[in-house]
Amino acid sequence: MKKVACLHGHHSNVALLDDAFSQWKVELAHYVDPGLLLQSANSQPPTRAEAEAKLDSQLSWMQASTPDAIVITCTQYAATLTSEHESERDIPIFTIDGPFLEEAARRSGKQTILFTNPATVKPTMDRLWQQAAMHRFTPQISIHLIDGAFSLIMENKRQAYQEILWETMLTLSHEDSILSVAQLSMAPAARQFRQEKGIFISDPLQSLTDKMVQTLPLSPASF
């Protein structure tokens, strides 16, 4: 059985990972630290160097438990990850939006990517454009930030958060553009929307699960 250490910026992500990997033989160890999110909400957010140092400390702490892989589910922490962080460790490090960004960079046609956390928009899109440039793709992407939504999830108002996401997806689904949600906290609403409306909408959790099953690899759980 594989062991995976997961770094979260909010405790609500724990259940999402547990549910996503419940059908696979894997042991998930969860580490929750909202420090970077809380600091970024202040008038003086951490510098890039401070954020990288904090992440390095967290990765070292997690690797001490000898996992087979590390997953970073917070998009702000994911944007802080450097090649040095990865090269210093002999295990794979997956970010919640890494596989998702690869898919978005390669996708043809118009796309609209939804965000709720304004602090993640620029670093996430910077990484997406880097992916596109690396492979010489030219995706057609527009961004939609759902104002006021992120404070709801940080205040544990999950129902209100889900409702505002649903209303936004329902409105934008009538446009001629493929919808995607960029953050893990948005994945449950995207999945429910796919199931009930029969409309494709991409989310990072599904992309991450598919990638890890292939890469580690993971075996199906026995029930």
Side-chain angles (χ1 to χ4, degrees):
M1 178 179 290
K2 300 292 185 180
K3 181 178 180 180
V4 176
C6 307
L7 174 62
H8 309 288
H10 194 269
H11 64 82
S12 62
N13 290 346
V14 172
L16 297 180
L17 265 288
D18 283 340
D19 180 61
F21 288 95
S22 60
Q23 60 181 309
W24 305 101
K25 291 182 179 179
V26 60
E27 176 187 348
L28 301 180
H30 298 289
Y31 300 79
V32 181
D33 186 349
L36 189 59
L37 295 179
L38 296 175
Q39 283 180 280
S40 296
N42 295 333
S43 57
Q44 293 184 326
T47 64
R48 174 76 188 191
E50 290 171 339
E52 289 179 7
K54 182 174 181 62
L55 178 58
D56 186 65
S57 175
Q58 292 168 322
L59 293 175
S60 297
W61 172 43
M62 296 163 69
Q63 194 168 4
S65 65
T66 64
D68 296 294
I70 289 175
V71 173
I72 301 174
T73 68
C74 171
T75 47
Q76 276 184 257
Y77 280 122
T80 304
L81 185 70
T82 65
S83 57
E84 287 75 17
H85 285 136
E86 297 181 280
S87 63
E88 290 172 358
R89 291 164 177 83
D90 57 359
I91 60 174
I93 301 177
F94 299 91
T95 61
I96 183 60
D97 55 0
F100 169 82
L101 294 177
E102 291 179 19
E103 293 175 1
R106 296 171 180 270
R107 187 175 290 125
S108 60
K110 295 180 181 179
Q111 302 180 61
T112 300
I113 301 181
L114 280 61
F115 291 84
T116 58
N117 182 356
T120 68
V121 176
K122 185 181 186 304
T124 299
M125 293 307 299
D126 284 348
R127 292 165 61 216
L128 193 156
W129 293 123
Q130 289 170 6
Q131 282 281 345
M134 186 185 308
H135 300 286
R136 298 187 178 182
F137 295 122
T138 54
Q140 303 175 59
I141 297 175
S142 59
I143 297 166
H144 185 97
L145 176 64
I146 307 175
D147 292 328
F150 193 64
S151 61
L152 296 174
I153 196 67
M154 294 303 290
E155 296 167 5
N156 294 321
K157 298 178 180 178
R158 295 199 60 80
Q159 184 59 36
Y161 185 71
Q162 296 289 89
E163 289 174 359
I164 194 171
L165 290 180
W166 182 273
E167 292 173 1
T168 303
M169 290 186 292
L170 188 60
T171 299
L172 295 178
S173 66
H174 298 294
E175 298 182 3
D176 183 23
S177 182
I178 298 173
L179 292 182
S180 299
V181 297
Q183 298 155 223
L184 176 58
S185 62
M186 307 168 80
R191 179 173 59 184
Q192 183 182 5
F193 194 82
R194 283 195 303 267
Q195 293 173 344
E196 294 192 16
K197 296 298 182 181
I199 299 174
F200 174 77
I201 180 167
S202 177
D203 74 80
L205 186 54
Q206 185 62 57
S207 302
L208 174 70
T209 306
D210 293 343
K211 182 75 171 182
M212 290 183 63
V213 168
Q214 297 170 4
T215 305
L216 287 179
L218 300 179
S219 302
S222 300
F223 296 98

